[in-house]
Amino acid sequence: MDRTAPTDHPVLPAIAARWSPRSYLEEAIPDADLRRVLEAGRWAASAYNEQPWLYLVTRRHVEPEAHAKLLACLVPFNQGWAVRAPVLILACYRQTMAGKGTPNRWAAYDTGQASSAMAIEAAALGLQIHQMAGFDAAAARAAFAIPEDAEPIAAMTLGKPGPASALDEALAQRETAPRARKPFGELFFAGAWGKGL
Ligand SMILES: Cc1cc2nc3c(=O)[nH]c(=O)nc-3n(C[C@H](O)[C@H](O)[C@H](O)COP(=O)(O)O)c2cc1C
C-alpha cells in the first residue's frame, strides 16, 4: 500500500514515506534494523546535548512478558490495533538537567526530535513507527518501576505495515484515507505573525 505523502515541495524520500499505520505484520524485525532505528534517535540534537530521552523497548519475540505489560498500558482503542506490532516502545524524558538537577524545559521537545528521527529511519527501512498519546503514564511508571525524574511521554509501535484488510472496516477506512496537512501558509509565517509564507 503506497502511503507516500503528496507533498507540495520535494522532500527526502524517507520523510515522504513515513506514515502511522495501524495494521502491522506480526513478524519480528531484524535486530540490526531495530538498532539502526534507535541509533537515528541517539543522534538527534538536544539542548545542551543533554540527550534527555530514555526509551523502553519491548520485543514480543524476545521479552514477551514486558511486551504484554506495555501493551496493557495502552488505551483500549490503541491496544486493539497495536497488539500485532512486534515491537512496542515507551518514550520517556529526564525532567532535570544531569548533574545540576534544574528543570530541563526542552526535554520533551528534544525527545520528540529523537522519536521523529527514529520514525524517518524506520520508513527508510520499509518499517513504520506509530506514536501514541493514548496510554496510561502512571500505569507504565508502576509496571516498569520508572523513576520519578523520568516522564513517560509517548508510546509507539514499530514493525512492518500489513494490509488494511486486516483491520475492521472503520479502521481500514482510516488506513486508506487520503493523507492531509494544513496549507503551507497556515503554518509558516514570513516576517510577520499570521502572514503566510
Ligand atoms: C504524539 C503523538 C500522539 C499520537 N497518539 C495517537 C494515538 O493515541 N492513537 C492513534 O491511533 N494515533 C496517534 N497518533 C498518530 C497521529 O494521529 C498521526 O501521526 C496523524 O494522524 C498524522 O498521520 P501520519 O503520521 O500517518 O502522517 C499520534 C501521533 C503523535 C505524534
Side-chain angles (χ1 to χ4, degrees):
M1 182 169 37
D2 182 19
R3 297 288 287 159
T4 307
T7 61
D8 289 355
H9 307 280
V11 297
L12 290 173
I15 291 178
R18 186 216 59 81
W19 67 290
S20 303
R22 293 194 177 89
S23 177
Y24 279 97
L25 302 181
E26 293 191 66
E27 67 191 48
I29 63 166
D31 191 53
D33 285 0
L34 173 64
R35 287 179 182 276
R36 188 169 151 176
V37 166
L38 301 176
E39 182 75 355
R42 184 170 164 245
W43 284 95
S46 61
Y48 301 101
N49 200 17
E50 270 283 322
Q51 305 156 63
W53 47 81
L54 296 158
Y55 290 92
L56 178 77
V57 179
T58 70
R59 299 159 288 185
R60 189 192 311 103
H61 302 82
V62 183
E63 299 98 1
E65 281 174 22
H67 190 82
K69 251 185 351 185
L70 186 49
L71 183 69
C73 294
L74 305 183
V75 298
F77 169 76
N78 285 335
Q79 280 187 38
W81 56 265
V83 62
R84 283 176 300 278
V87 179
L88 288 172
I89 301 175
L90 182 67
C92 305
Y93 63 87
R94 200 175 27 245
Q95 305 189 64
T96 57
M97 297 285 196
K100 293 190 211 145
T102 51
N104 179 356
R105 78 182 194 90
W106 304 279
Y109 180 90
D110 292 343
T111 302
Q113 296 204 61
S115 297
S116 175
M118 286 162 53
I120 292 165
E121 188 71 25
L125 296 172
L127 305 171
Q128 294 290 352
I129 277 175
H130 191 138
Q131 302 174 67
M132 291 168 276
F135 76 101
D136 184 334
R141 185 184 292 288
F144 294 100
I146 296 172
E148 222 16 66
D149 193 31
E151 179 67 19
I153 185 71
M156 51 182 94
T157 47
L158 169 64
K160 206 174 220 174
S165 56
L167 298 169
D168 69 34
E169 208 179 306
L171 279 191
Q173 244 177 34
R174 285 169 73 170
E175 197 82 342
T176 51
R179 300 189 64 203
R181 285 301 187 266
K182 294 175 184 174
F184 203 85
E186 265 184 36
L187 302 170
F188 306 108
F189 302 151
W193 193 258
K195 182 170 171 261
L197 187 73

